[in-house]
Amino acid sequence: MDGLEVYGFLAAMSGSFLLSSLLFAAVNRRLRDPYMDEVFHVPQAQAYCQGLLLQWNPMITTPPGLYLLSVGMVKPAAWLFGWTGSVVCSTAMLRFINLLISAGNFYLLYLLLLKIHQKNKAVSGFQRILSSLTLATFPTLYFFTFLYYTDTGSVFFTLFAYLMCLYGNHKASAVLGFCAFMFRQTNIVWTLFCAGNVVAEKLNEAWKTELLKKRDERISSTRTSFSDLTVILQFLIQYLLLPKNLITLITLTWPYIILVTAFVVFVFVNGGIVVGDRSNHEACLHFPQLFYFLSFTLFFSFPHLLTPAKIRKFLQSLRRHRVQYCLITAISLFLVWKFTYVHKYLLADNRHYTFYVWRKIFQRHELVKYGLVPAYIFAGWSFVDTIKSKSIFWILMYFVCLLSVTVPQKLLEFRYFILPFLIYRLNIPFPPVYRQLVELALYLVVNVVTFYLFLNKTFQWPNSVELQRFMW
């Protein structure tokens, strides 16, 4: 990283933080009291500030990582600056913690882009800075920077764990993975993702060695057809059945194994993954969640996924593999038919965008959910085509993690898509600058509209005097 890039990065990060601080002030002027899930998080953090560590609101479903971090940041600051009274652990102060963490997310995104694409010398410093800025303003994540929610901290520790994993510091990665778990239980999946990175790297090395022995077989280590998958799965089984290979993998991933073992013990002792209220967070096999995620990704990455070249390439693939696509379509239709669930919150809470997505699209007609299957298939194909530069083992590992964090969720909630989207977006090849600029423009427009609606288009429910606001 040369001096000019350093100055450019610092300018982008400082400018972004300044603008975010101005927006933060505007949000807190309009919204002084806790809103939505803040009515649970803020009092819980304030109880921790008072030293009441055993007091717990049973409606909270996540571990106390957010509150412990808040106390650890606010208390020393209060002592240093002489703050007393209501300002300590006030709603605004607690929200400001997320704003500070968002600056850390900006930096981590930049470092991850630098590490993941370090071999690509064609990528300029400007492109790295531009992508970091774009991902730091990713609308679903950026919105919750200004409220006291777990999302910003959850992303910070998960990205930090991923970065340490890429640098080979697996002990630190596992510790940071534990911190991420303390913000949201499902982040244990991204600890497995970090371990999977190590495993995928070893598998890819062994696979390349295998290919050298079979030069006559036209199988690529990065690009595979449907028929190649059988050969790869056979290789995978043979590799993992050798005790020597298993010992090597355990030696490399033991910090993650310890953390996952502790998680299993937690689930057993707790009687489930959810802390507190479980009645509205029941796990199920909601396979269409994968389709919703792919659609979500297609929208927010359309400059990379929805291009004329990709559409032509998809149609060519469609002509070459008609039987496979017919089978995929049939399976997708079956999954939509048998495994579509509608959470009561989705139908009842008109403050969330998902309420309107469901009402305006899916509830127009019973057949709409089936009619969207071709779009899901294109989104899935384009998604995979964009990450085909990664090894097949990395892709398989990523999809296992993606399914693990999306499919068990009954509620359609865009916040659940933040981490899988960011990890996907970090790993795709750098697009041309003009596409990055279009992506950034999209994010800025969505953010402007989102905050305009949130701050200015308030409404009231018939049975309540409180102002309600539109939000993610």
Side-chain angles (χ1 to χ4, degrees):
M1 184 167 59
D2 57 33
L4 186 60
E5 185 175 348
V6 171
Y7 290 126
F9 171 75
L10 290 175
M13 187 173 174
S14 301
S16 173
F17 187 76
L18 176 61
L19 291 174
S20 296
S21 298
L22 295 174
L23 181 56
F24 177 83
V27 170
N28 279 277
R29 279 197 303 270
R30 300 286 188 90
L31 187 64
R32 297 184 180 278
D33 297 323
Y35 183 69
M36 284 292 291
D37 288 1
E38 285 186 321
V39 299
F40 307 116
H41 295 311
V42 170
Q44 186 62 56
Q46 290 170 342
Y48 273 45
C49 278
Q50 296 169 17
L52 304 175
L53 299 182
L54 297 180
Q55 181 175 314
W56 185 259
N57 186 332
M59 293 302 294
I60 296 174
T61 60
T62 53
L66 177 63
Y67 322 122
L68 293 171
L69 178 67
S70 301
V71 173
M73 293 177 69
V74 171
K75 283 294 187 178
W79 175 81
L80 183 64
F81 296 107
W83 295 333
T84 57
S86 61
V87 69
V88 180
C89 286
S90 63
T91 301
M93 181 65 71
L94 293 172
R95 289 172 180 168
F96 188 69
I97 290 171
N98 274 346
L99 187 63
L100 291 175
I101 296 173
S102 72
N105 284 336
F106 193 120
Y107 189 41
L108 286 171
L109 288 165
Y110 174 78
L111 293 176
L112 282 164
L113 288 168
L114 196 64
K115 179 62 177 175
I116 292 170
H117 302 280
Q118 61 182 343
K119 294 181 180 179
N120 188 353
K121 303 303 180 183
V123 177
S124 67
F126 175 74
Q127 286 179 289
R128 284 191 289 266
I129 295 168
L130 184 58
S131 276
S132 303
L133 177 62
T134 301
L135 294 179
T137 57
F138 175 55
T140 313
L141 171 63
Y142 189 68
F143 177 83
F144 291 101
T145 296
F146 302 90
L147 297 176
Y148 192 59
Y149 272 58
T150 59
D151 301 87
T152 308
S154 169
V155 168
F156 176 82
F157 285 107
T158 302
L159 293 182
F160 205 170
Y162 184 28
L163 182 66
M164 289 298 99
C165 170
L166 294 179
Y167 275 100
N169 195 339
H170 302 300
K171 294 177 187 176
S173 178
V175 170
L176 291 163
F178 172 75
C179 295
F181 162 80
M182 289 296 288
F183 275 74
R184 187 168 292 164
Q185 298 93 311
T186 53
N187 286 340
I188 195 68
V189 171
W190 301 114
T191 296
L192 289 171
F193 173 79
C194 290
N197 266 275
V198 181
V199 174
E201 187 176 345
K202 298 299 292 184
L203 286 170
N204 200 43
E205 291 173 3
W207 178 241
K208 287 179 179 178
T209 303
E210 186 74 11
L211 289 179
L212 290 175
K213 297 177 182 177
K214 302 178 180 180
R215 292 176 180 272
D216 56 320
E217 294 185 21
R218 297 181 181 179
I219 305 173
S220 167
S221 63
T222 57
R223 299 185 183 185
T224 61
S225 66
F226 291 103
S227 59
D228 294 334
L229 287 177
T230 304
V231 179
I232 292 169
L233 288 174
Q234 288 175 350
F235 162 79
L236 187 60
I237 293 170
Q238 291 171 0
Y239 181 90
L240 294 177
L241 286 178
L242 287 177
K244 180 183 69 173
N245 294 334
L246 278 177
I247 292 171
T248 300
L249 294 178
I250 291 171
T251 303
L252 290 171
T253 60
W254 67 264
Y256 305 110
I257 294 172
I258 291 175
L259 181 56
V260 172
T261 303
F263 170 76
V264 172
V265 172
F266 159 77
V267 172
F268 177 78
V269 172
N270 187 55
I273 189 173
V274 177
V275 177
D277 179 33
R278 301 176 187 174
S279 59
N280 296 309
H281 296 83
E282 298 174 351
C284 63
L285 290 177
H286 193 180
F287 289 105
Q289 285 276 27
L290 176 63
F291 303 147
Y292 307 149
F293 170 76
L294 292 172
S295 304
F296 175 88
T297 303
L298 183 65
F299 176 79
F300 282 109
S301 294
F302 85 86
H304 319 308
L305 299 181
L306 196 61
T307 64
K310 278 198 177 292
I311 294 173
R312 287 195 299 270
K313 192 175 177 181
F314 173 70
L315 293 175
Q316 291 170 0
S317 176
L318 203 60
R319 285 195 295 270
R320 287 197 301 267
H321 306 288
R322 290 188 180 91
V323 175
Q324 290 94 328
Y325 280 104
C326 286
L327 180 61
I328 291 171
T329 301
I331 293 172
S332 300
L333 288 169
F334 175 77
L335 293 177
V336 169
W337 174 42
K338 284 294 185 182
F339 295 96
T340 296
Y341 297 94
V342 185
H343 198 285
K344 62 181 181 181
Y345 285 174
L346 182 62
L347 299 176
D349 197 336
N350 65 346
R351 295 170 293 186
H352 293 286
Y353 295 158
T354 48
F355 171 88
Y356 298 96
V357 169
W358 196 262
R359 190 179 72 173
K360 297 292 185 181
I361 299 176
F362 291 91
Q363 286 191 317
R364 281 192 173 275
H365 194 277
E366 179 63 26
L367 296 178
V368 167
K369 61 183 180 182
Y370 302 107
L372 291 172
V373 165
Y376 298 152
I377 293 173
F378 170 75
W381 175 89
S382 187
F383 184 92
V384 174
D385 185 67
T386 311
I387 55 173
K388 66 184 180 184
S389 59
K390 310 295 288 187
S391 75
I392 183 61
F393 304 106
W394 189 96
I395 294 172
L396 288 172
M397 176 265 301
Y398 172 80
F399 268 95
V400 168
C401 294
L402 174 61
L403 289 169
S404 299
V405 296
T406 56
V407 168
Q409 304 282 358
K410 187 174 183 179
L411 177 64
L412 173 57
E413 171 66 81
F414 290 143
R415 288 191 298 143
Y416 300 155
F417 298 158
I418 292 174
L419 274 168
F421 175 85
L422 287 177
I423 290 174
Y424 153 77
R425 180 60 184 78
L426 285 166
N427 281 280
I428 69 173
F430 269 85
V433 172
Y434 77 90
R435 288 187 189 171
Q436 289 182 261
L437 291 172
V438 172
E439 184 182 36
L440 177 59
L442 169 67
Y443 289 7
L444 292 177
V445 169
V446 172
N447 281 328
V448 168
V449 172
T450 299
F451 281 102
Y452 174 78
L453 292 175
F454 183 74
L455 296 175
N456 298 301
K457 295 299 180 180
T458 58
F459 62 98
Q460 288 180 285
W461 286 339
N463 58 345
S464 174
V465 295
E466 295 181 6
L467 288 179
Q468 308 300 333
R469 300 172 184 272
F470 298 107
M471 61 185 294
W472 285 104

